[in-house]
Amino acid sequence: MLKRINWKLIFKCFAWIICLSGLVVLMSFVGVKKHTLTCTNVKILIPGADNFIEREEIDAILKQSQGKLIGRKLEDINLEDIEKNIKANPYIAFSTVYADMDGVIHVEIQQRQPILRVINFNSQDFYIDRNGLKMPVSPNFTANVLVANGKIMEHFSGRVDTLITDLARDLYKTALYIKQDTLWDAQIEQLFVDEKGDMELVPRVGNQRIILGSADSLEVKMRNLLAFYKQAMPKVGWDTYKTINIKYTNQVVCEKNKIDSSATKLKTTVILDTASNNNQEIIQENPDADSAPGEKPSVSSTEQEKKKDKTDTRKNKI
């Protein structure tokens, strides 16, 4: 008869009963102590290098929300209300407020991390943070981030908000990609949107315009640009090209201006085929006519002059 008794199950049930009883006693003890505890101190933790908000501002929020905290009973202090008021600040992404058994109230804050500063078409100035949300600029602190300007139609209402236009989302994707790459973060200092709505990258080294277009296939485009930097730039120098166009999937199209003896500007287009690593240099007569990759270029003025010289020589012989 004794063999049929499951002593292992009885032991588990007994252990659970002891644990639950101990938990109830502990919670009762904490509840009783909370009624007698008073606030002895307030510790505020704001990690990070950005200083959009200072301790004095948090102190002001605490005072406005609950009044003076030190010396008051913890049961009379609404910690949830304090947390809610802190989160309402546009520079704060997350906050946690709690009290320990020594009567110390802890306020832990995580600031928003901007990755792009935007100056739109109407001269409105705002940030886009790491989560893709718009946030206002601060009169007390300026973040060291990329700046985007030009024909940007994204509107800012003055409060934290999501992005509306496709262009703004492309700017955010591009800025986030650059921020996460140490090479491009050191090389690219500005984004510019031209009249066609194409994004351009402004480098720290070199005076060329890097035409990105949109953020579609962004990783491929930047990989093509890196291949061009490694293959072409060491040979010709950083200031040779006027524009570097990486809008196309498998090609990098570059343009540079030359001046011949007749003071006529010639546009040289260098096409780097990233798929086969072949370079092709084309000289076009019309500096304002943009030939797409693969399009047959016009005959250069220097070639026309050579043909004219040959014709004049033949006439003299006759």
Side-chain angles (χ1 to χ4, degrees), residues 42-274:
V42 177
K43 292 185 178 181
I44 300 173
L45 177 63
I46 310 177
D50 295 339
N51 296 311
F52 285 106
I53 191 164
E54 301 290 345
R55 179 190 169 89
E56 290 76 16
E57 296 178 70
I58 300 299
D59 287 335
I61 294 174
L62 296 177
K63 187 175 181 180
Q64 184 178 7
S65 174
Q66 297 291 317
K68 186 179 179 181
L69 298 178
I70 297 178
R72 289 175 56 187
K73 290 184 178 181
L74 289 180
E75 63 176 350
D76 296 334
I77 300 175
N78 191 335
L79 300 181
E80 292 182 0
D81 189 56
I82 294 176
E83 192 172 288
K84 181 180 178 181
N85 285 311
I86 291 176
K87 288 180 180 179
N89 188 286
Y91 302 112
I92 296 176
F94 181 78
S95 68
T96 302
V97 181
Y98 64 94
D100 61 21
M101 298 304 295
D102 294 325
V104 179
I105 294 178
H106 298 265
V107 181
E108 298 178 359
I109 291 173
Q110 181 180 341
Q111 299 184 81
R112 296 190 184 278
Q113 298 178 357
I115 60 171
L116 182 67
R117 184 169 184 169
V118 178
I119 303 174
N120 68 11
F121 195 67
N122 296 320
S123 298
Q124 282 187 307
D125 198 359
F126 59 92
Y127 289 113
I128 298 178
D129 72 2
R130 186 175 288 274
N131 296 319
L133 297 174
K134 292 178 285 188
M135 58 180 285
V137 296
S138 171
N140 303 322
F141 178 77
T142 301
N144 185 20
V145 295
L146 279 172
V147 176
N149 62 344
K151 196 174 182 180
I152 303 173
M153 308 308 294
E154 181 78 16
H155 177 72
F156 181 56
S157 62
R159 57 185 177 83
V160 177
D161 199 0
T162 56
L163 300 174
I164 301 172
T165 63
D166 291 336
L167 175 60
R169 285 187 280 269
D170 279 354
L171 289 169
Y172 161 68
K173 291 177 184 177
T174 304
L176 186 60
Y177 181 88
I178 292 173
K179 185 68 176 178
Q180 293 173 345
D181 190 292
T182 55
L183 172 64
W184 298 125
D185 190 32
Q187 169 65 354
I188 307 301
E189 66 176 352
Q190 183 181 344
L191 302 178
F192 177 76
V193 180
D194 62 19
E195 291 296 324
K196 297 178 182 179
D198 286 336
M199 289 189 295
E200 297 181 5
L201 309 178
V202 180
R204 286 188 172 90
V205 180
N207 297 320
Q208 63 276 155
R209 292 165 47 224
I210 303 174
I211 303 174
L212 178 65
S214 67
D216 294 339
S217 304
L218 179 61
E219 186 175 351
V220 176
K221 293 176 180 179
M222 299 305 290
R223 188 166 60 244
N224 291 344
L225 179 61
L226 180 60
F228 180 79
Y229 272 176
K230 290 181 178 179
Q231 294 179 34
M233 286 302 192
K235 299 178 181 178
V236 299
W238 288 92
D239 296 323
T240 301
Y241 299 110
K242 177 184 177 183
T243 62
I244 301 176
N245 193 329
I246 57 175
K247 288 174 60 176
Y248 309 103
T249 305
N250 292 322
Q251 290 181 330
V252 177
V253 183
C254 303
E255 298 177 359
K256 60 182 178 181
N257 287 325
K258 287 185 178 180
I259 301 178
D260 64 2
S261 57
S262 304
T264 302
K265 286 186 178 180
L266 302 178
K267 183 175 69 176
T268 302
T269 302
V270 177
I271 300 177
L272 171 66
D273 188 344
T274 56

Side-chain angles (χ1 to χ4, degrees), residues 31-42:
V32 171
K33 189 171 183 180
K34 184 178 179 182
H35 288 294
T36 59
L37 274 178
T38 59
C39 177
T40 58
N41 194 10
V42 177

Side-chain angles (χ1 to χ4, degrees), residues 295-306:
E295 184 178 330
K296 186 177 181 180
S298 59
V299 181
S300 67
S301 60
T302 53
E303 292 178 359
Q304 290 178 350
E305 289 178 0
K306 290 179 180 179

